[in-house]
């Protein structure tokens, strides 16, 4: 069963604009992760944020986590056509701490050149 | 390391046939996950292992599905008998430790006709 719900389901922007994707989850987490999937390929890990962290950066990526609202956002700044892909959030359970990794439905991002 | 290796990349089989998907995790990784991805249901966790022991198989859809991990470097997911609704992309992923980033294989695209 999916833990995370993401919105929007699809996002279309122009190159150079920023893209923001949101993820909500239901249960206590140890960490939240974001992945990228290009069409026909496997998922690639982008960034991991732990439950005691509020913000994390990696290059043009900025992730925030609000555990009180059980939500996270992924911001891609100065987007490029090569950023076109599907983006997924995933959570690892914090209460049982068994390492179970559950994915959301994903956001499909299209960046127009 | 070559990453997580899945085989075959594509599989077309007739309804009722047995299908076996294979996965070789990254050497030294102690967690292995099997996922199924479809447009309708997204990325579903089927089963995961820690040190070759199944931890949670609650995502396995039916008794027709079974998974094994006979050693640290090999896992199989078997469907017997296969049905058209099993058509999907099946991913294997591995992690080093709990609560860390997952590395995905390229997936096996299964078509049951």
């Amino acid at each position: 069963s999916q833990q995370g719900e993401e919105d929007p389901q699809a996002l279309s922007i122009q190159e150079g604009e920023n893209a923001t994707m949101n993820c909500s989850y239901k249960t206590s987490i140890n960490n939240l992760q974001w992945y990228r999937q290009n069409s026909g390929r496997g998922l690639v890990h982008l960034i991991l944020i732990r439950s005691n962290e509020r913000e994390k950066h990696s290059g043009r990526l900025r992730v925030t986590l609000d555990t009180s609202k059980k939500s996270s956002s992924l911001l891609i700044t100065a987007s490029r056509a090569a950023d076109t892909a599907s983006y997924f959030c995933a959570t690892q359970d914090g209460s049982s701490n068994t390492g179970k990794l559950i994915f959301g439905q994903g956001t499909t991002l299209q960046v127009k050149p | 390391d070559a990453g997580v290796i899945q085989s075959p990349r594509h599989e077309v089989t007739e309804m009722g046939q047995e299908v076996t998907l294979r996965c070789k995790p990254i050497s030294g990784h102690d967690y292995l996950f099997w996922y199924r991805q479809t447009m309708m249901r997204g990325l579903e966790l089927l089963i995961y292992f820690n040190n070759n022991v199944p931890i949670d198989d609650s995502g396995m859809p039916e008794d027709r599905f079974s998974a094994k991990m006979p050693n640290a470097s090999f896992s199989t997911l078997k469907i017997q008998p296969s049905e058209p609704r099993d058509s999907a992309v099946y991913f294997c992923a591995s992690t080093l430790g709990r609560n860390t980033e997952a590395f995905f294989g390229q997936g096996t695209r299964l078509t049951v006709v």
Side-chain angles (χ1 to χ4, degrees):
Chain A
S1 60
Q2 272 73 34
Q3 154 83 306
E5 292 184 7
E6 294 169 69
D7 82 275
Q9 288 191 333
L11 181 60
S12 181
I13 60 174
Q14 292 294 134
E15 207 165 25
E17 294 180 339
N18 296 342
T20 299
M21 289 159 265
N22 303 295
C23 169
S24 61
Y25 57 91
K26 298 173 185 173
T27 63
S28 142
I29 62 169
N30 176 285
N31 65 76
L32 187 143
Q33 304 177 32
W34 285 91
Y35 289 78
R36 165 193 169 126
Q37 183 181 34
N38 286 84
S39 180
R41 309 296 296 273
L43 281 76
V44 175
H45 182 266
L46 295 175
I47 199 163
L48 180 153
I49 186 165
R50 301 202 182 278
S51 60
N52 60 354
E53 297 176 308
R54 291 297 165 258
E55 189 170 312
K56 210 160 183 181
H57 297 255
S58 177
R60 293 183 297 112
L61 305 181
R62 173 178 168 249
V63 169
T64 60
L65 179 64
D66 187 335
T67 52
S68 67
K69 295 181 179 178
K70 291 187 167 56
S71 67
S72 174
S73 66
L74 170 68
L75 169 68
I76 304 174
T77 60
S79 64
R80 305 167 182 168
D83 294 329
T84 294
S86 293
Y87 293 82
F88 295 86
C89 69
T91 56
Q92 287 193 298
D93 184 59
S95 51
S96 65
N97 201 23
T98 57
K100 189 172 185 176
L101 184 63
I102 301 292
F103 283 81
Q105 294 279 17
T107 293
T108 300
L109 173 66
Q110 180 185 31
V111 181
K112 300 175 185 174
Chain B
D1 200 314
V4 176
I5 299 173
Q6 291 187 245
S7 64
R9 289 294 311 276
H10 302 272
E11 176 82 35
V12 180
T13 190
E14 291 186 347
M15 185 174 69
Q17 296 297 308
E18 177 180 297
V19 175
T20 299
L21 312 181
R22 297 173 175 79
C23 175
K24 181 182 184 331
I26 292 174
S27 177
H29 281 195
D30 54 349
Y31 279 81
L32 184 140
F33 300 80
W34 280 102
Y35 292 91
R36 176 172 71 176
Q37 186 176 37
T38 60
M39 289 293 292
M40 290 296 293
R41 301 174 70 89
L43 202 60
E44 302 172 276
L45 175 63
L46 301 177
I47 184 171
Y48 71 105
F49 297 81
N50 175 220
N51 291 324
N52 315 337
V53 176
I55 302 300
D56 187 336
D57 66 354
S58 60
M60 296 285 262
E62 300 170 33
D63 291 345
R64 298 184 296 107
F65 286 69
S66 62
K68 294 182 180 179
M69 193 162 185
N71 57 62
S73 59
F74 184 64
S75 177
T76 59
L77 178 67
K78 186 176 293 186
I79 308 172
Q80 166 64 19
S82 57
E83 296 182 3
R85 60 192 167 124
D86 302 330
S87 297
V89 181
Y90 291 81
F91 286 102
C92 173
S94 69
T95 71
L96 176 60
R98 195 169 47 204
N99 301 320
T100 60
E101 66 177 290
F103 293 82
F104 277 76
Q106 292 299 308
T108 295
R109 181 174 295 277
L110 173 66
T111 303
V112 183
V113 297

